Amino acid sequence: MRNRFDEQLFALNREMIEMGAMCEEAIASAAKALTTGDMELAAKVKRNSGVIDQMERDIEGRCMKLLLHQQPVARDLRVISATLKMITDLERIGDQAEDIAEIVTFLNGHTMEGMEVIEEMARRTIGMVTESIDAFVKKDVELAEQVIARDDIVDDCFSRVKCDIISMIAEQSADGEFALDLLMIAKYFERIGDHATNIAEWVIYSVTGTHKEG
């Protein structure tokens, strides 16, 4: 019975890795579409959002079967319950990547020249998502703590974006709508960082039994 349960947990880890990889790709593709004005890439992000949604449903189904049929012990129960929380955050990360791609579509090739800080936000949030999933798979509390600490850097980037956009509007009022679009994009990246932080907090709970709220 335990061997069967361990096999199911291994499959659960694999599916979490796949879902995390899909979310990483979605963020990276949305960011690239933004910097290059690639409408086809933006459209791909939007199409793949449904795949991420299905992954959430599949993992949720596997978790429920484990809870109903395998009678997990306390630590296993923490892993399964944490997974149910984490897939919600991953699904929302996919949604926010889709939201960024949607804005890119409206920009119609207008790229974010001179907004390197948004590119920095994209790189950092991709790293946070990657490492939060790695921490889950490796049961690495220290790595999860590092992810949580990096959220402050992303928040600082968002503050810098706001200052840059205020200056942009003051100097080039005709670009006000574009500036607001960039602000929304930066906000979505900030939220992605928040969701990666949530995942890291649930990783810590799955290992220690203590939920650390940021």
Side-chain angles (χ1 to χ4, degrees), residues 78-196:
R78 290 201 307 268
V79 170
I80 296 167
S81 60
T83 298
L84 287 167
K85 297 288 187 178
M86 286 187 278
I87 58 174
T88 299
D89 283 295
L90 284 171
E91 189 272 336
R92 288 174 181 169
I93 287 170
D95 285 347
Q96 279 144 15
E98 181 186 15
D99 289 335
I100 293 168
E102 185 74 24
I103 295 175
V104 171
T105 302
F106 289 136
L107 293 178
N108 195 28
H110 194 169
T111 60
M112 58 174 191
E113 183 179 355
M115 293 299 292
E116 290 82 3
V117 67
I118 295 182
E119 295 182 60
E120 180 184 352
M121 289 185 78
R123 289 193 301 271
R124 290 189 179 278
T125 53
I126 292 168
M128 288 175 70
V129 172
T130 300
E131 292 184 358
S132 65
I133 296 300
D134 284 347
F136 169 73
V137 173
K138 298 172 183 176
K139 299 179 174 57
D140 190 333
V141 171
E142 183 177 351
L143 183 57
E145 294 278 9
Q146 292 173 11
V147 172
I148 293 168
R150 291 192 185 110
D151 191 46
D152 288 339
I153 300 174
V154 173
D155 290 344
D156 180 65
C157 286
F158 182 62
S159 295
R160 287 159 53 198
V161 170
K162 286 192 291 186
C163 291
D164 289 347
I165 287 175
I166 289 170
S167 297
M168 180 187 295
I169 293 173
E171 295 170 7
Q172 303 174 17
S173 58
D175 282 340
E177 185 174 350
F178 174 59
L180 291 175
D181 285 335
L182 290 180
L183 182 62
M184 285 300 301
I185 288 168
K187 186 62 180 177
Y188 287 133
F189 279 125
E190 190 222 10
R191 288 176 180 170
I192 289 170
D194 289 341
H195 289 304

Side-chain angles (χ1 to χ4, degrees), residues 64-77:
M64 296 309 296
K65 287 178 181 177
L66 284 168
L67 289 172
L68 291 172
H69 301 305
Q70 299 294 336
Q71 297 180 330
V73 296
R75 180 165 180 171
D76 296 328
L77 185 60

